[in-house]
Amino acid sequence: MADLMKVTIDGITVEVAPGTSILNAARQIGGDIVPPAMCYYSKLEGSGGKCRTCIVKVSKGSEKDPRPMPKLVASCRTTVMDGMEVQNITSPEVLEARSGVVEMLLINHPLDCPVCDQAGECDLQNLGYEHGLQKTRYEFERRTFDRIDIGDKIQLHMNRCILCYRCVFTADQITNKRVHGILNRGDHSEISTYIQTAVDNDFSGNVIDVCPVGALTDKTFRFKNRVWFTKPVDAHRNCDHEKCNGQVTLWYKGADVLRVTARKDQFGEVESFICNTCRFEKKATSDWNIEQPTHIPDTSVIASNHYETFKPLPVIMENLALQKANQVELEKTSKF
Amino acid sequence: MGRKLLLEHINVPGINTLEVYRQKGGYRAVEKALKTLTPDEVVEEVKKSGLRGRGGAGFPTGMKWSFLAKPEGVARYLVCNADESEPGTFKDRYLMTYIPHALIEGMIVSSFALGANTSYIYVRGEMMPQIRILEKAIAEAKAAGFLGKNILGSGYDLELYVQSGGGAYICGEETALLESLEGKRGNPRIKPPFPAIAGLYGCPTVVNNVESIAAVVPIINDGGDEYAKVGIGRSTGTKLISASGNLVKPGVYEIELGLPVEEFIYSDEYCGGIANGKRLKATVAGGSSVPILPANLTLKYANGEPRLMSYESLAEGGFATGTMMGSGGFIAFDEDQCIVRNTWNFSRFYHHESCGQCSPCREGTGWLEKVLHRLEFGHGKMSDIDLLVDVSKKIEGNTICPLGDAAAWPVASAIRHFRDEFEWHVKEPSKSQTSNYGLANYANPIEKKEEEVKQDNS
């Protein structure tokens, strides 16, 4: 292996292989300094660079050429140099620009989270909470499109789309023929299959998983439930499709499997793409071998109903009366 | 009378044919380069000439050529960017229409210098007549042995193709142009890698403007040092300026760089002053994407020295009091013109032409246009003006390609210099629909330096 490169992100130094992007270097460190990414997807070649939410400041170009980069750069498409110093959350300039990008992403977004199936696991929603304004400065009508059915299992809700191009790359790289692309230009550009029934492919359902917002939704799950009322469980089956390993997450409500998705890692990216049979047709517990409850980070709203452990406030530990009142919960915490 | 290098024979009847063009000394540069010079010597001449890219950015052409990667066994390409679509710029179309062989000759010499055996001229889709003219000129040159296999017995092969675009402004951005040339959607690529490393079909590619390529001809004919004597400082040679707007004689002019702006506007050799006896209010000096300047700052720097037509002089004062050479689309506005309306019109263009790839430009250009529309038609609010400044700041510098900057700069500069006119549109909504704000103080002599500084801070 070639020499490792030393890169410092927000004061934390990490050594990474040459050719690594700043974003992936930050992901190796983890935590708050990882820039958010709406369009970059490590499993899709050529993705990234478009949404501009991952912009960072390069305050020192490299050991050899210490000049800072003149503009903020997209961390997902900028490769690290030895000795590079990057500022993400420590730079007010970056945070300012990022909140600008979030504002731009939201001005034409319908903000229909209350009726959107993606709510609760939506990257744009998370980004909006962290960087968005309480009140919009946009006082015009938002652009609207008609909903389009892409095949009988997927619905495209173009109003919510942020044009990350992930689904286009998925259709291009995962499925064997691309019948899916972008029409038009500028803020009237739209994802389209042109002929609505054209997406017919064993892997087409993956466009739902890669979509960072609620633009592409699973029609078999539409309006069935809110994600935070469902219980995710890792499971697998012996899928006979050569490219599908059958490793999925099942989303339960009571005893029913409401939907099946690919397993996602901590950055919201799927571990491996799954076929449409696993996704849309196997919705009985008997089809699957259950492994374990899916790990959900406790910052996610999905965790709020099922996995939250009781964290007693300091005042409870000091007050006997309160300890008695919370006895059941306190016993639970000591049991684990 | 300024020196003419490109348009010297423009008025000769039949100069668009090979025969007349050769009588006037055409294709001398091809003979000289292919027979007596090596490719590296041609590049060296262009470097010595100090020629700067005429498409807008002003990057030294010789330097760009020397960055071209030359791996063994990989084809290299020269692509001529004739997707001229900047509002206010029409010099390339003029050149291609009237003297197409200047471009063909430049293409042959430049391709030879870069070692490209296939070169393309990417012409904007609307320029159908020019495409026909170029194709005819290529056929003539090929019949005369200047194109094809073993040109002039030198052993050098070159095929030249004209490709029509679809008429998108964004395809004038070099990487979007290459995508379009490959037959894909014209979205700019994310750089790096730059085209000099991986351009057309992943091969090393140079993309040059029509005028830059045509300027290689006089450089080779007379030598780079001779060319460098024309012009001023680092702005060498001559430049085609597309003059439009309220001028007595709008049109394409070839100027020696370093000509005073005042002389360019008012002398009879060039634009002949402002039409209908009006007074100058503002200019856009380099095509719609450069900052607009009021009349007083157009003619003079903030310190009172005269401004010249050159890359450095137009940029003097930075964004606060300067503008840019750009592609040489010189638009003059007289006292009756409304700056708010013009800014809205430019924004409308950028909104329409944004490719929609990256978020700030896709959403922001539309936002700017809508707010400006509201201001222009008398429904604006005072807070809109600061909103425009803020939105343009959020777009600027945060996009993949320079279109975001190009959309933000005209808005930011119009508000910087013409804020009172924007405010007037808010305060007098009905009056602004029927009458003009007029010249106001935009042509007044520039105040003393101390006051200038104070104004910048406010």
Side-chain angles (χ1 to χ4, degrees):
Chain A
M1 198 173 178
D3 293 343
L4 291 177
M5 288 189 163
K6 207 178 258 185
V7 54
T8 307
I9 301 169
D10 284 340
I12 306 167
T13 306
V14 65
E15 287 195 338
V16 296
T20 311
S21 68
I22 297 174
L23 181 71
N24 281 328
R27 283 182 176 184
Q28 289 183 19
I29 299 170
D32 289 343
I33 61 135
V34 182
M38 299 293 286
C39 66
Y40 173 76
Y41 213 73
S42 60
K43 276 126 201 126
L44 298 171
E45 199 188 316
S47 65
K50 301 186 196 311
C51 70
R52 317 307 285 182
T53 54
C54 69
I55 43 177
V56 292
K57 183 176 175 181
V58 177
S59 48
K60 182 182 166 192
S62 69
E63 206 57 67
K64 275 187 205 146
D65 182 8
R67 284 177 301 169
M69 291 194 185
K71 290 200 266 186
L72 302 180
V73 297
S75 60
C76 61
R77 290 296 293 261
T78 309
T79 47
V80 299
M81 306 291 277
D82 197 30
M84 186 184 260
E85 282 174 20
V86 178
Q87 290 183 330
N88 178 22
I89 53 173
T90 50
S91 160
E93 194 188 338
V94 168
L95 294 179
E96 165 87 16
R98 187 170 295 149
S99 68
V101 172
V102 174
E103 185 176 23
M104 298 289 185
L105 286 174
L106 288 172
I107 62 172
N108 272 313
H109 191 80
L111 297 172
D112 57 350
C113 307
V115 295
C116 176
D117 284 316
Q118 190 86 5
E121 50 177 16
C122 174
D123 292 346
L124 187 60
Q125 207 176 25
N126 298 343
L127 209 55
Y129 274 119
E130 280 166 37
H131 301 281
L133 300 169
Q134 290 257 313
K135 206 164 168 279
T136 180
R137 294 190 291 169
Y138 187 74
E139 295 163 321
F140 304 94
E141 216 168 273
R142 288 156 201 260
R143 79 194 147 117
T144 49
F145 298 90
D146 288 335
R147 273 171 296 200
I148 299 172
D149 284 335
I150 299 180
D152 57 345
K153 298 291 194 328
I154 308 168
Q155 190 167 67
L156 169 64
H157 205 308
M158 190 58 215
N159 290 353
R160 296 172 184 156
C161 178
I162 57 159
L163 287 162
C164 68
Y165 285 55
R166 278 182 187 176
C167 59
V168 178
F169 287 113
T170 307
D172 199 16
Q173 291 166 23
I174 309 300
T175 65
N176 48 19
K177 72 172 187 220
R178 196 184 89 172
V179 280
H180 181 111
I182 310 271
L183 296 183
N184 298 330
R185 197 166 60 197
D187 62 4
H188 37 277
S189 47
E190 58 178 304
I191 303 284
S192 182
T193 54
Y194 219 89
I195 306 157
Q196 291 160 4
T197 50
V199 172
D200 178 22
N201 190 290
D202 294 343
F203 274 70
S204 65
N206 288 299
V207 297
I208 299 165
D209 280 346
V210 300
C211 185
V213 294
L216 288 160
T217 48
D218 182 344
K219 277 181 84 181
T220 63
F221 179 65
R222 257 176 91 76
F223 303 133
K224 286 273 176 63
N225 220 304
R226 311 305 322 218
V227 289
W228 56 88
F229 294 139
T230 59
K231 216 179 254 190
V233 171
D234 286 350
H236 68 269
R237 66 182 273 270
N238 287 328
C239 183
D240 47 17
H241 195 290
E242 53 186 295
K243 284 199 275 182
C244 174
N245 63 5
Q247 295 190 343
V248 301
T249 301
L250 304 177
W251 298 77
Y252 274 98
K253 170 81 176 177
D256 302 328
V257 178
L258 290 188
R259 70 167 176 166
V260 182
T261 65
R263 288 185 197 171
K264 292 190 178 179
D265 64 15
Q266 55 171 323
F267 304 113
E269 294 189 7
V270 302
E271 284 165 9
S272 59
F273 293 104
I274 60 167
C275 71
N276 282 6
T277 315
C278 289
R279 182 186 302 274
F280 296 124
E281 280 153 33
K282 303 292 174 190
K283 295 216 173 170
T285 306
S286 57
D287 292 329
W288 298 96
N289 298 322
I290 308 288
E291 293 171 16
Q292 62 191 351
T294 303
H295 176 74
I296 298 286
D298 55 7
T299 49
S300 164
V301 291
I302 302 169
S304 62
N305 287 291
H306 312 294
Y307 303 103
E308 194 178 33
T309 45
F310 180 67
K311 289 193 191 105
L313 294 167
V315 64
I316 297 178
M317 305 311 287
E318 289 158 14
N319 187 319
L320 248 168
L322 281 175
Q323 277 183 23
K324 262 193 189 149
N326 288 289
Q327 200 180 357
V328 181
E329 293 293 337
L330 280 171
E331 272 173 10
K332 264 194 201 167
T333 55
S334 58
K335 212 159 46 177
F336 287 112
Chain B
M1 200 65 186
R3 229 176 121 185
K4 302 265 186 289
L5 296 173
L6 295 173
L7 305 182
E8 197 182 346
H9 304 299
I10 196 79
N11 292 323
V12 176
I15 191 71
N16 59 346
T17 61
L18 184 80
E19 199 191 336
V20 180
Y21 185 70
R22 288 216 67 186
Q23 281 167 14
K24 292 290 170 194
Y27 289 96
R28 261 191 305 143
V30 173
E31 283 172 18
K32 184 175 174 190
L34 267 60
K35 287 184 178 161
T36 64
L37 299 174
T38 66
D40 286 343
E41 282 167 354
V42 178
V43 175
E44 203 48 46
E45 286 301 315
V46 174
K47 264 189 175 170
K48 267 195 268 173
S49 75
L51 173 68
R52 293 172 69 173
R54 302 298 197 221
F59 191 79
T61 305
M63 194 112 86
K64 194 174 192 174
W65 287 9
S66 61
F67 288 155
L68 185 72
K70 294 183 175 166
E72 278 297 309
V74 179
R76 300 191 282 273
Y77 295 102
L78 171 68
V79 178
C80 172
N81 183 349
D83 190 78
E84 181 182 54
S85 1
E86 178 108 338
T89 309
F90 42 86
K91 62 185 176 68
D92 295 345
R93 187 180 63 192
Y94 182 85
L95 193 84
M96 289 188 290
T97 312
Y98 296 105
I99 186 158
H101 283 286
L103 176 60
I104 310 290
E105 185 177 4
M107 283 298 281
I108 299 169
V109 177
S110 309
S111 302
F112 173 71
L114 298 168
N117 296 111
T118 312
S119 295
Y120 297 91
I121 305 175
Y122 182 93
V123 189
R124 188 176 134 205
E126 282 93 335
M127 295 194 197
M128 236 5 171
Q130 285 70 27
I131 294 170
R132 300 273 174 271
I133 292 167
L134 285 172
E135 278 174 345
K136 184 165 161 264
I138 288 172
E140 281 181 326
K142 203 164 181 179
F146 290 113
L147 282 169
K149 295 250 177 265
N150 194 13
I151 300 168
L152 305 178
S154 64
Y156 173 65
D157 307 335
L158 174 68
E159 284 300 329
L160 192 54
Y161 298 100
V162 180
Q163 174 62 46
S164 150
Y169 174 67
I170 191 65
C171 290
E173 200 275 343
E174 57 178 4
T175 53
L177 187 153
L178 296 176
E179 286 279 299
S180 174
L181 196 54
E182 288 178 11
K184 301 178 191 151
R185 181 185 163 83
N187 278 359
R189 293 178 187 166
I190 295 151
K191 288 169 273 191
F194 288 92
I197 311 294
L200 188 63
Y201 306 116
C203 301
T205 306
V206 166
V207 183
N208 276 138
N209 179 259
V210 172
E211 193 190 339
S212 314
I213 288 175
V216 172
V217 176
I219 290 171
I220 296 305
N221 279 339
D222 307 340
D225 292 329
E226 200 60 32
Y227 187 87
K229 284 180 194 158
V230 185
I232 181 169
R234 286 180 55 231
S235 303
T236 58
T238 62
K239 170 97 187 77
L240 298 182
I241 303 288
S242 328
S244 62
N246 308 110
L247 296 164
V248 174
K249 293 192 296 174
V252 175
Y253 294 98
E254 182 169 11
I255 60 156
E256 277 186 44
L257 288 167
L259 181 81
V261 178
E262 192 159 7
E263 190 185 335
F264 180 70
I265 298 175
Y266 292 103
S267 88
D268 285 333
E269 188 186 341
Y270 300 105
C271 303
I274 306 302
N276 306 322
K278 306 265 183 187
R279 286 168 300 167
L280 180 70
K281 179 176 182 181
T283 59
V284 172
S288 64
S289 50
V290 309
I292 189 170
L293 280 186
N296 47 12
L297 284 171
T298 301
L299 304 176
K300 291 194 167 74
Y301 299 157
N303 65 8
E305 283 174 34
R307 199 181 282 280
L308 312 176
M309 299 286 277
S310 76
Y311 289 93
E312 290 78 22
S313 181
L314 284 173
E316 175 71 37
F319 281 159
T321 59
T323 177
M324 281 184 290
M325 182 90 221
S327 54
F330 192 93
I331 312 171
F333 301 91
D334 73 18
E335 54 193 296
D336 291 343
Q337 305 310 316
C338 175
I339 299 300
V340 182
R341 189 176 188 86
N342 174 63
T343 312
W344 166 61
N345 195 26
F346 282 171
S347 274
R348 199 165 58 115
F349 174 80
Y350 289 110
H351 176 208
H352 185 257
E353 295 294 344
S354 166
C355 79
Q357 192 179 201
C358 52
S359 342
C361 171
R362 175 181 70 233
E363 308 292 351
T365 51
W367 196 359
L368 288 178
E369 194 226 313
K370 284 173 188 153
V371 176
L372 280 161
H373 181 274
R374 181 160 79 180
L375 279 169
E376 164 60 19
F377 290 95
H379 312 292
K381 296 182 286 194
M382 225 28 135
S383 59
D384 284 352
I385 301 170
D386 289 324
L387 177 69
L388 285 173
V389 175
D390 193 55
V391 173
S392 65
K393 253 190 225 152
K394 296 271 165 69
I395 301 174
E396 187 190 333
N398 290 338
T399 53
I400 295 174
C401 79
L403 194 139
D405 301 344
W409 287 339
V411 176
S413 62
I415 293 174
R416 191 181 311 124
H417 297 300
F418 300 93
R419 198 181 186 101
D420 41 355
E421 186 162 350
F422 282 84
E423 285 172 356
W424 180 72
H425 271 254
V426 177
K427 282 183 206 146
E428 305 276 357
S430 53
K431 212 169 155 194
S432 70
Q433 300 308 297
T434 50
S435 61
N436 293 316
Y437 187 63
L439 188 63
N441 55 359
Y442 303 134
N444 291 356
I446 299 157
E447 305 109 277
K448 289 209 180 72
K449 196 120 199 236
E450 299 83 61
E451 287 166 3
E452 191 66 38
V453 172
K454 229 189 270 169
Q455 268 194 343
D456 284 348
N457 294 340
S458 65

